[in-house]
Amino acid sequence: MAQVLVTGGTGFIGSWCVLHLLEAGHTVRTTARDLRREATLRSWLHTATSFDDERLTVVRADLEHSDGWKDAVADCEFVLHVASPTLRNTPATGDELVVPAREGVLRVLRAARDAGVRRVVLTSAFGAVGIGHPPRSTPFTEEDWTDVDSDIPPYQRSKTLAERAAWQFVEEEGGGLELVAVHPVGVLGPLLGPDDPPSLRLVRRMLEGRVPACPPFGMGFVDVRDVADLHLRAMTDPAAVGERFLAIAGHSLRVVEIARILRERLGGRAAKAPTRELPVWLARALGTVNPELRLLRHQLGRDLDATSAKAERLLGWRARPIEDTVADTAESLLAHGIAEHPV
Protein backbone atom coordinates (compact mmCIF):
# COMPACT_ATOMS: atom_id res chain seq x y z
CA MET A 1 0.00 0.00 0.00
CA ALA A 2 1.23 3.46 -0.89
CA GLN A 3 0.68 7.09 -0.02
CA VAL A 4 -1.02 8.76 -2.97
CA LEU A 5 -1.74 12.41 -3.74
CA VAL A 6 -4.97 13.11 -5.63
CA THR A 7 -5.24 16.66 -6.89
CA GLY A 8 -8.79 17.97 -7.00
CA GLY A 9 -10.18 15.23 -4.78
CA THR A 10 -13.41 17.09 -4.09
CA GLY A 11 -14.40 17.00 -7.77
CA PHE A 12 -16.49 14.39 -9.57
CA ILE A 13 -13.68 12.18 -10.93
CA GLY A 14 -11.28 13.05 -8.11
CA SER A 15 -13.66 12.01 -5.33
CA TRP A 16 -14.23 8.62 -6.94
CA CYS A 17 -10.46 8.17 -7.27
CA VAL A 18 -10.08 8.94 -3.57
CA LEU A 19 -12.81 6.42 -2.74
CA HIS A 20 -11.23 3.66 -4.85
CA LEU A 21 -7.81 4.31 -3.34
CA LEU A 22 -9.15 4.15 0.21
CA GLU A 23 -11.01 0.94 -0.55
CA ALA A 24 -7.78 -0.51 -1.95
CA GLY A 25 -6.03 0.24 1.34
CA HIS A 26 -3.89 3.21 0.29
CA THR A 27 -3.23 6.34 2.35
CA VAL A 28 -4.57 9.36 0.50
CA ARG A 29 -3.73 13.03 0.55
CA THR A 30 -5.88 15.26 -1.62
CA THR A 31 -5.83 18.92 -2.54
CA ALA A 32 -8.67 21.40 -2.50
CA ARG A 33 -8.76 25.10 -3.25
CA ASP A 34 -11.17 25.60 -0.36
CA LEU A 35 -10.63 23.57 2.81
CA ARG A 36 -14.25 24.11 3.78
CA ARG A 37 -14.95 21.29 1.31
CA GLU A 38 -13.10 18.78 3.51
CA ALA A 39 -16.03 18.03 5.80
CA THR A 40 -18.30 17.55 2.81
CA LEU A 41 -15.88 15.16 1.12
CA ARG A 42 -15.40 13.09 4.27
CA SER A 43 -19.16 12.85 4.72
CA TRP A 44 -19.63 11.62 1.13
CA LEU A 45 -16.85 9.06 1.47
CA HIS A 46 -18.07 7.70 4.80
CA THR A 47 -21.53 7.27 3.31
CA ALA A 48 -20.01 5.20 0.50
CA THR A 49 -17.48 3.09 2.45
CA SER A 50 -15.75 2.51 5.78
CA PHE A 51 -12.22 3.81 6.32
CA ASP A 52 -9.95 5.13 9.05
CA ASP A 53 -10.05 8.95 8.91
CA GLU A 54 -6.30 9.02 9.51
CA ARG A 55 -5.77 7.55 6.02
CA LEU A 56 -7.20 10.69 4.40
CA THR A 57 -5.67 14.15 4.58
CA VAL A 58 -6.97 17.24 2.78
CA VAL A 59 -4.54 20.08 2.11
CA ARG A 60 -4.95 23.41 0.38
CA ALA A 61 -3.30 23.91 -3.01
CA ASP A 62 -4.34 25.80 -6.14
CA LEU A 63 -3.14 25.12 -9.69
CA GLU A 64 -2.67 28.85 -10.23
CA HIS A 65 -0.29 29.29 -7.29
CA SER A 66 2.94 27.59 -6.23
CA ASP A 67 2.21 27.61 -2.49
CA GLY A 68 1.37 24.25 -0.96
CA TRP A 69 2.54 21.86 -3.66
CA LYS A 70 5.82 20.91 -1.99
CA ASP A 71 3.98 19.83 1.15
CA ALA A 72 1.21 18.19 -0.87
CA VAL A 73 3.55 15.74 -2.64
CA ALA A 74 5.89 15.09 0.29
CA ASP A 75 6.37 11.35 0.97
CA CYS A 76 3.96 10.32 -1.81
CA GLU A 77 4.84 7.44 -4.11
CA PHE A 78 2.16 8.25 -6.67
CA VAL A 79 0.22 11.30 -7.83
CA LEU A 80 -3.13 11.27 -9.60
CA HIS A 81 -3.33 14.73 -11.15
CA VAL A 82 -7.07 15.04 -11.68
CA ALA A 83 -7.58 18.74 -10.97
CA SER A 84 -8.11 21.00 -13.95
CA PRO A 85 -9.92 24.24 -14.77
CA THR A 86 -13.52 23.41 -15.69
CA LEU A 87 -16.56 24.90 -17.39
CA ARG A 88 -18.51 24.84 -14.12
CA ASN A 89 -19.71 28.38 -14.75
CA THR A 90 -19.69 30.32 -18.03
CA PRO A 91 -17.54 29.12 -20.95
CA ALA A 92 -14.05 30.57 -20.78
CA THR A 93 -12.29 32.29 -23.62
CA GLY A 94 -8.69 32.94 -24.58
CA ASP A 95 -6.18 31.95 -21.90
CA GLU A 96 -8.66 31.61 -19.02
CA LEU A 97 -8.38 27.82 -19.12
CA VAL A 98 -5.21 27.26 -21.12
CA VAL A 99 -2.73 29.03 -18.85
CA PRO A 100 -3.94 27.54 -15.52
CA ALA A 101 -4.11 24.04 -17.01
CA ARG A 102 -0.63 24.14 -18.55
CA GLU A 103 1.08 25.95 -15.70
CA GLY A 104 -0.80 23.87 -13.14
CA VAL A 105 0.35 20.54 -14.55
CA LEU A 106 3.93 21.81 -14.63
CA ARG A 107 3.71 22.89 -10.98
CA VAL A 108 2.51 19.42 -10.01
CA LEU A 109 5.17 17.65 -12.09
CA ARG A 110 8.03 19.78 -10.74
CA ALA A 111 6.91 19.20 -7.17
CA ALA A 112 6.50 15.47 -7.83
CA ARG A 113 9.95 15.18 -9.38
CA ASP A 114 11.60 17.10 -6.57
CA ALA A 115 9.85 14.96 -3.95
CA GLY A 116 10.94 11.68 -5.56
CA VAL A 117 7.45 10.62 -6.62
CA ARG A 118 7.57 7.44 -8.68
CA ARG A 119 4.69 7.99 -11.11
CA VAL A 120 2.12 10.65 -12.04
CA VAL A 121 -1.17 9.73 -13.69
CA LEU A 122 -2.52 12.74 -15.56
CA THR A 123 -6.26 13.04 -16.15
CA SER A 124 -6.42 14.36 -19.68
CA ALA A 125 -9.54 13.97 -21.86
CA PHE A 126 -10.86 12.90 -25.24
CA GLY A 127 -10.71 16.63 -25.88
CA ALA A 128 -6.94 16.24 -26.24
CA VAL A 129 -7.36 13.47 -28.81
CA GLY A 130 -10.24 13.86 -31.25
CA ILE A 131 -11.12 17.54 -31.76
CA GLY A 132 -10.33 19.69 -34.79
CA HIS A 133 -10.01 16.77 -37.24
CA PRO A 134 -11.83 16.26 -40.55
CA PRO A 135 -14.72 13.76 -40.48
CA ARG A 136 -13.57 10.14 -40.33
CA SER A 137 -15.17 6.71 -40.18
CA THR A 138 -12.63 5.05 -37.90
CA PRO A 139 -12.47 5.42 -34.09
CA PHE A 140 -9.91 7.73 -32.55
CA THR A 141 -7.01 6.07 -30.74
CA GLU A 142 -4.24 7.18 -28.40
CA GLU A 143 -2.07 7.94 -31.42
CA ASP A 144 -4.31 10.91 -32.26
CA TRP A 145 -3.93 14.44 -30.94
CA THR A 146 -6.38 17.33 -31.09
CA ASP A 147 -5.42 19.97 -33.66
CA VAL A 148 -4.85 23.10 -31.57
CA ASP A 149 -4.25 25.14 -34.71
CA SER A 150 -7.89 24.70 -35.71
CA ASP A 151 -10.82 26.67 -34.33
CA ILE A 152 -11.57 24.62 -31.21
CA PRO A 153 -13.14 25.49 -27.82
CA PRO A 154 -10.93 26.67 -24.92
CA TYR A 155 -11.45 23.57 -22.77
CA GLN A 156 -10.20 21.15 -25.45
CA ARG A 157 -7.30 23.47 -26.23
CA SER A 158 -6.36 23.63 -22.54
CA LYS A 159 -6.38 19.84 -22.09
CA THR A 160 -4.26 19.34 -25.21
CA LEU A 161 -1.64 21.96 -24.43
CA ALA A 162 -1.43 20.87 -20.78
CA GLU A 163 -0.80 17.27 -21.77
CA ARG A 164 1.75 18.25 -24.43
CA ALA A 165 3.57 20.28 -21.78
CA ALA A 166 3.51 17.33 -19.37
CA TRP A 167 5.10 14.90 -21.83
CA GLN A 168 7.75 17.46 -22.81
CA PHE A 169 8.59 18.14 -19.16
CA VAL A 170 8.98 14.45 -18.30
CA GLU A 171 11.19 13.88 -21.34
CA GLU A 172 13.42 16.91 -20.80
CA GLU A 173 13.36 17.53 -17.03
CA GLY A 174 11.61 14.58 -15.42
CA GLY A 175 14.67 12.95 -13.90
CA GLY A 176 13.14 9.49 -14.11
CA LEU A 177 9.61 10.52 -13.15
CA GLU A 178 7.07 8.20 -14.82
CA LEU A 179 3.98 9.62 -16.56
CA VAL A 180 0.72 8.07 -17.73
CA ALA A 181 -2.23 9.93 -19.28
CA VAL A 182 -5.87 8.85 -19.01
CA HIS A 183 -8.36 10.20 -21.57
CA PRO A 184 -12.01 9.79 -20.60
CA VAL A 185 -14.75 10.64 -23.07
CA GLY A 186 -17.96 12.14 -21.63
CA VAL A 187 -18.04 11.06 -17.98
CA LEU A 188 -21.37 10.01 -16.49
CA GLY A 189 -22.23 7.96 -13.43
CA PRO A 190 -23.53 8.37 -9.88
CA LEU A 191 -22.61 11.16 -7.51
CA LEU A 192 -21.05 10.56 -4.11
CA GLY A 193 -23.00 13.55 -2.79
CA PRO A 194 -25.20 16.44 -3.90
CA ASP A 195 -23.09 18.23 -6.49
CA ASP A 196 -23.54 19.57 -10.02
CA PRO A 197 -20.60 18.49 -12.20
CA PRO A 198 -20.73 19.88 -15.74
CA SER A 199 -20.55 16.45 -17.37
CA LEU A 200 -23.90 15.41 -15.84
CA ARG A 201 -25.85 18.50 -16.86
CA LEU A 202 -27.05 16.98 -20.13
CA VAL A 203 -28.80 14.15 -18.27
CA ARG A 204 -30.08 16.58 -15.65
CA ARG A 205 -31.60 18.87 -18.25
CA MET A 206 -33.17 15.95 -20.08
CA LEU A 207 -34.87 14.78 -16.90
CA GLU A 208 -36.14 18.29 -16.24
CA GLY A 209 -37.49 18.77 -19.75
CA ARG A 210 -35.05 21.52 -20.61
CA VAL A 211 -33.80 19.81 -23.78
CA PRO A 212 -36.71 20.03 -26.24
CA ALA A 213 -34.70 18.29 -28.96
CA CYS A 214 -31.27 16.64 -28.97
CA PRO A 215 -28.27 18.20 -30.69
CA PRO A 216 -27.38 16.12 -33.76
CA PHE A 217 -24.13 14.40 -32.93
CA GLY A 218 -22.68 11.34 -31.26
CA MET A 219 -19.83 10.92 -28.82
CA GLY A 220 -18.43 8.41 -26.35
CA PHE A 221 -19.50 8.07 -22.73
CA VAL A 222 -17.97 6.22 -19.78
CA ASP A 223 -18.77 5.61 -16.12
CA VAL A 224 -16.89 7.67 -13.52
CA ARG A 225 -16.35 4.49 -11.46
CA ASP A 226 -14.59 2.88 -14.41
CA VAL A 227 -12.52 6.03 -14.96
CA ALA A 228 -11.34 5.82 -11.34
CA ASP A 229 -10.54 2.14 -11.81
CA LEU A 230 -8.44 2.95 -14.87
CA HIS A 231 -6.51 5.55 -12.88
CA LEU A 232 -5.59 2.96 -10.26
CA ARG A 233 -4.51 0.45 -12.89
CA ALA A 234 -2.43 3.11 -14.64
CA MET A 235 -0.87 4.03 -11.29
CA THR A 236 0.63 0.63 -10.55
CA ASP A 237 0.88 -1.46 -13.73
CA PRO A 238 4.38 -1.47 -15.27
CA ALA A 239 2.79 -1.69 -18.73
CA ALA A 240 1.26 1.77 -18.29
CA VAL A 241 4.49 3.77 -18.11
CA GLY A 242 4.76 6.38 -20.84
CA GLU A 243 1.36 5.52 -22.32
CA ARG A 244 -1.93 7.27 -23.07
CA PHE A 245 -5.22 5.43 -22.43
CA LEU A 246 -8.65 6.27 -23.80
CA ALA A 247 -11.63 5.38 -21.60
CA ILE A 248 -14.92 4.71 -23.39
CA ALA A 249 -17.76 2.25 -22.83
CA GLY A 250 -18.30 0.52 -26.16
CA HIS A 251 -18.81 2.95 -29.01
CA SER A 252 -20.14 6.46 -29.48
CA LEU A 253 -23.83 7.16 -28.87
CA ARG A 254 -26.04 9.79 -30.44
CA VAL A 255 -27.32 12.17 -27.78
CA VAL A 256 -30.87 11.12 -28.67
CA GLU A 257 -29.92 7.56 -27.67
CA ILE A 258 -29.10 8.78 -24.16
CA ALA A 259 -32.63 10.19 -23.97
CA ARG A 260 -34.06 6.89 -25.20
CA ILE A 261 -32.18 4.94 -22.51
CA LEU A 262 -33.50 7.32 -19.85
CA ARG A 263 -37.10 6.80 -20.92
CA GLU A 264 -36.70 3.03 -21.14
CA ARG A 265 -34.93 2.60 -17.79
CA LEU A 266 -36.73 5.24 -15.69
CA GLY A 267 -40.19 5.18 -17.24
CA GLY A 268 -42.38 8.06 -16.12
CA ARG A 269 -39.58 9.70 -14.16
CA ALA A 270 -37.89 10.44 -17.49
CA ALA A 271 -41.08 11.39 -19.30
CA LYS A 272 -39.67 14.84 -20.13
CA ALA A 273 -36.61 13.45 -21.93
CA PRO A 274 -36.59 14.49 -25.61
CA THR A 275 -37.70 12.11 -28.33
CA ARG A 276 -36.28 13.78 -31.44
CA GLU A 277 -33.01 15.08 -32.83
CA LEU A 278 -32.56 18.55 -34.28
CA PRO A 279 -31.75 18.73 -38.00
CA VAL A 280 -28.11 19.70 -38.48
CA TRP A 281 -29.00 22.86 -40.40
CA LEU A 282 -31.27 24.04 -37.59
CA ALA A 283 -28.70 23.26 -34.90
CA ARG A 284 -26.13 25.31 -36.81
CA ALA A 285 -28.55 28.19 -37.14
CA LEU A 286 -29.44 28.10 -33.45
CA GLY A 287 -25.73 28.07 -32.65
CA THR A 288 -25.53 31.71 -33.70
CA VAL A 289 -27.60 32.66 -30.64
CA ASN A 290 -27.12 29.68 -28.30
CA PRO A 291 -23.65 29.60 -26.63
CA GLU A 292 -23.82 25.89 -25.84
CA LEU A 293 -24.64 24.90 -29.42
CA ARG A 294 -21.92 27.27 -30.61
CA LEU A 295 -19.35 25.33 -28.57
CA LEU A 296 -20.57 22.13 -30.26
CA ARG A 297 -20.33 23.49 -33.79
CA HIS A 298 -17.46 21.17 -34.80
CA GLN A 299 -19.38 18.11 -33.56
CA LEU A 300 -22.75 18.77 -35.18
CA GLY A 301 -23.67 16.04 -37.64
CA ARG A 302 -20.73 13.86 -36.61
CA ASP A 303 -20.09 10.78 -34.49
CA LEU A 304 -16.87 11.14 -32.51
CA ASP A 305 -16.01 7.52 -31.79
CA ALA A 306 -13.03 6.14 -29.89
CA THR A 307 -11.70 2.81 -28.72
CA SER A 308 -10.44 1.54 -25.36
CA ALA A 309 -8.79 -1.52 -26.91
CA LYS A 310 -5.39 -0.43 -25.60
CA ALA A 311 -6.51 -0.15 -21.95
CA GLU A 312 -8.31 -3.48 -22.26
CA ARG A 313 -5.27 -5.18 -23.79
CA LEU A 314 -2.49 -3.75 -21.62
CA LEU A 315 -4.25 -3.15 -18.30
CA GLY A 316 -7.15 -5.60 -18.31
CA TRP A 317 -9.60 -2.72 -17.93
CA ARG A 318 -13.29 -3.17 -18.76
CA ALA A 319 -16.12 -0.64 -18.82
CA ARG A 320 -19.61 -1.47 -17.61
CA PRO A 321 -22.53 -1.21 -20.09
CA ILE A 322 -23.34 2.41 -20.83
CA GLU A 323 -27.07 1.72 -20.40
CA ASP A 324 -26.43 0.94 -16.73
CA THR A 325 -24.33 4.08 -16.35
CA VAL A 326 -27.00 6.34 -17.86
CA ALA A 327 -29.64 4.87 -15.56
CA ASP A 328 -27.39 5.14 -12.49
CA THR A 329 -26.63 8.77 -13.38
CA ALA A 330 -30.29 9.68 -13.53
CA GLU A 331 -31.16 7.77 -10.35
CA SER A 332 -28.37 9.56 -8.51
CA LEU A 333 -29.36 13.02 -9.75
CA LEU A 334 -32.94 12.42 -8.63
CA ALA A 335 -31.94 10.89 -5.29
CA HIS A 336 -29.67 13.81 -4.42
CA GLY A 337 -32.24 16.37 -5.50
CA ILE A 338 -30.00 17.74 -8.23
CA ALA A 339 -32.59 17.05 -10.93
CA GLU A 340 -36.20 17.89 -10.26
CA HIS A 341 -38.71 15.05 -10.26
CA PRO A 342 -41.15 15.48 -13.15
CA VAL A 343 -44.55 16.77 -12.10
Side-chain angles (χ1 to χ4, degrees):
M1 297 302 104
Q3 177 150 299
V4 185
L5 173 68
V6 180
T7 70
T10 60
F12 184 40
I13 296 176
S15 61
W16 276 101
C17 287
V18 171
L19 176 63
H20 280 223
L21 287 165
L22 290 170
E23 290 185 330
H26 297 288
T27 299
V28 181
R29 184 181 298 146
T30 189
T31 65
R33 286 180 297 178
D34 186 348
L35 288 181
R36 289 175 295 183
R37 295 272 289 171
E38 177 179 353
T40 299
L41 176 63
R42 288 186 184 275
S43 173
W44 292 356
L45 294 168
H46 277 298
T47 299
T49 192
S50 298
F51 66 95
D52 185 343
D53 264 311
E54 293 184 357
R55 287 201 294 120
L56 174 65
T57 306
V58 182
V59 298
R60 188 183 183 283
D62 189 323
L63 292 178
E64 299 187 53
H65 302 281
S66 298
D67 296 345
W69 289 108
K70 180 179 179 180
D71 292 337
V73 299
D75 302 319
C76 288
E77 184 176 358
F78 303 106
V79 172
L80 305 186
H81 180 36
V82 185
S84 178
T86 69
L87 299 180
R88 183 170 289 271
N89 297 309
T90 56
T93 58
D95 289 339
E96 291 179 58
L97 288 179
V98 172
V99 172
R102 185 181 58 224
E103 296 306 312
V105 75
L106 292 176
R107 283 190 178 93
V108 172
L109 289 173
R110 289 191 191 100
R113 176 202 60 193
D114 294 346
V117 167
R118 174 180 159 194
R119 185 181 302 180
V120 173
V121 179
L122 170 65
T123 309
S124 190
F126 176 78
V129 174
I131 308 300
H133 297 279
R136 59 192 279 180
S137 58
T138 56
F140 286 95
T141 74
E142 292 85 356
E143 298 299 315
D144 295 301
W145 281 88
T146 284
D147 181 4
V148 294
D149 294 324
S150 62
D151 180 22
I152 62 174
Y155 179 74
Q156 284 81 358
R157 184 182 301 278
S158 75
K159 298 301 284 190
T160 309
L161 293 176
E163 190 190 348
R164 289 280 196 190
W167 288 114
Q168 182 178 357
F169 174 86
V170 167
E171 180 181 354
E172 297 177 357
E173 306 176 51
L177 177 66
E178 299 172 350
L179 180 65
V180 187
V182 173
H183 295 77
V185 289
V187 182
L188 301 177
L191 294 157
L192 286 176
D195 199 6
D196 185 25
S199 65
L200 302 192
R201 288 179 184 169
L202 173 64
V203 174
R204 172 185 175 180
R205 290 167 179 168
M206 284 183 173
L207 292 172
E208 295 176 343
R210 293 194 284 153
V211 183
C214 296
F217 72 92
M219 59 178 285
F221 295 92
V222 67
D223 196 293
V224 66
R225 294 165 290 188
D226 297 329
V227 174
D229 175 59
L230 182 54
H231 277 73
L232 266 66
R233 291 171 185 264
M235 183 182 84
T236 57
D237 197 315
V241 178
E243 302 288 353
R244 308 170 85 207
F245 293 99
L246 278 160
I248 180 173
H251 299 282
S252 66
L253 289 177
R254 302 290 287 190
V255 176
V256 72
E257 292 182 86
I258 299 293
R260 174 186 57 77
I261 295 168
L262 288 172
R263 293 194 307 275
E264 290 178 354
R265 297 290 290 266
L266 273 75
R269 291 178 297 156
K272 294 183 178 180
T275 59
R276 61 192 179 92
E277 184 178 87
L278 283 172
V280 175
W281 67 267
L282 181 56
R284 293 190 190 282
L286 292 173
T288 61
V289 295
N290 184 305
E292 292 180 353
L293 282 175
R294 190 179 307 127
L295 284 174
L296 297 172
R297 62 188 180 277
H298 296 296
Q299 296 171 239
L300 297 177
R302 299 181 60 186
D303 285 284
L304 297 177
D305 200 7
T307 174
S308 284
K310 182 177 179 181
E312 294 170 3
R313 183 181 72 255
L314 292 185
L315 305 182
W317 179 80
R318 296 290 184 274
R320 69 197 69 204
I322 195 60
E323 292 82 2
D324 293 344
T325 295
V326 171
D328 289 349
T329 303
E331 295 283 6
S332 181
L333 288 168
L334 292 170
H336 287 294
I338 306 302
E340 299 175 359
H341 284 270
V343 178

